Amino acid sequence: MTLFQAMQRGALALGTFALVTAGSVALTRALTAERIATHQLAYQHRQLQEVLPQTLANTPVARVLESTFTLPNPEVLGLKSDNQGWWVSGSDNDNSNKHSAVIFPVVTRQGYNGEIRLLIGIDKQQRISGVRVTQHQETPGLGDDIERSRSDWITHFDGLGLNSLPPEGWAVTKDGGQFDAFTGATITPRAVVNAVHKALEYAANTPLPITFEEPRS
């Protein structure tokens, strides 16, 4: 075998190895991305149930997912066009007019590190039935206390309606409001409080499939 032939064979082997390695890396990334997307979807499905009122908490996920409707004026909630919400009512043998709720996806871009995505449930009495953070990039150990797994701060909205607090009360305590901020992190909770307040205003002023009762203070 000549030196030239040996070099050709070596180059071919090296090229084949590079192609196989690149293909393996690409396949691994694709499979990893698919698993991440699947886990994120399952996580959101669980959170849809978590923001429902207790009277609807046992509604099967499949039924919740089928209860979609197109959100009017989604930009008010920080969303792009053609977004959907969920309208969940009591089971067929229940009183659907008594137990029902809507769930909105909400995006605020006032976070310390960018977007914070939320799911907000509102019951028939126009009260918050639950709020969960579905995605954020806030600082670990500081701003991530908005996660339910990290603290119970996000549950302090439960049961509140638009008129439960004066307008100035829908703010963190540093701004004269009713909601605690986090030690060393005010921007993150401020963004979430503003987003929840905006969702309640949206529900009060937007035609939705649910028929709300008169709000209570």
Side-chain angles (χ1 to χ4, degrees):
M1 179 184 296
T2 65
L3 178 61
F4 179 71
Q5 289 175 325
M7 292 176 62
Q8 278 187 319
R9 180 171 296 181
L12 180 60
L14 183 60
T16 301
F17 175 77
L19 286 174
V20 171
T21 302
S24 299
V25 171
L27 179 60
T28 301
R29 286 181 176 177
L31 292 174
T32 301
E34 184 177 354
R35 283 197 297 269
I36 291 174
T38 300
H39 291 163
Q40 287 178 336
L41 190 59
Y43 180 58
Q44 186 185 54
H45 291 173
R46 290 196 302 272
Q47 290 186 313
L48 282 169
Q49 288 181 304
E50 290 180 12
V51 300
L52 286 171
Q54 283 299 312
T55 52
L56 297 170
N58 293 324
T59 304
V61 171
R63 188 172 174 209
V64 176
L65 296 176
E66 292 170 356
S67 306
T68 59
F69 68 96
T70 300
L71 287 168
N73 306 318
E75 64 279 357
V76 176
L77 299 174
L79 305 168
K80 297 179 180 179
S81 59
D82 299 328
N83 262 269
Q84 66 181 23
W86 296 264
W87 172 35
V88 184
S89 59
S91 60
D92 293 338
N93 57 2
D94 195 359
N95 185 343
S96 297
N97 293 322
K98 183 178 180 181
H99 302 306
S100 58
V102 287
I103 302 173
F104 305 139
V106 178
V107 178
T108 174
R109 295 171 179 83
Q110 299 175 352
Y112 186 76
N113 286 323
E115 287 187 353
I116 300 174
R117 293 181 173 269
L118 309 162
L119 284 176
I120 299 178
I122 299 177
D123 68 15
K124 192 174 176 63
Q125 288 75 41
Q126 298 189 49
R127 300 171 304 196
I128 296 290
S129 56
V131 181
R132 291 293 184 273
V133 175
T134 60
Q135 188 176 347
H136 73 89
Q137 300 180 51
E138 301 304 278
T139 306
L142 293 174
D144 62 351
D145 275 352
I146 55 176
E147 295 178 24
R148 180 64 185 93
S149 60
R150 292 273 307 170
S151 79
D152 65 355
W153 181 87
I154 201 75
T155 66
H156 294 170
F157 298 104
D158 294 359
L160 295 179
L162 189 59
N163 298 323
S164 297
L165 301 172
E168 62 273 15
W170 288 95
V172 295
T173 51
K174 185 176 181 180
D175 299 334
Q178 298 294 316
F179 299 92
D180 292 334
F182 307 144
T183 302
T186 300
I187 294 175
T188 303
R190 178 187 290 140
V192 174
V193 171
N194 289 341
V196 173
H197 187 215
K198 185 175 292 186
L200 283 170
E201 291 181 323
Y202 173 87
N205 299 312
T206 306
L208 297 170
I210 189 173
T211 301
F212 288 121
E213 295 179 358
E214 286 296 320
R216 302 170 185 174
S217 60

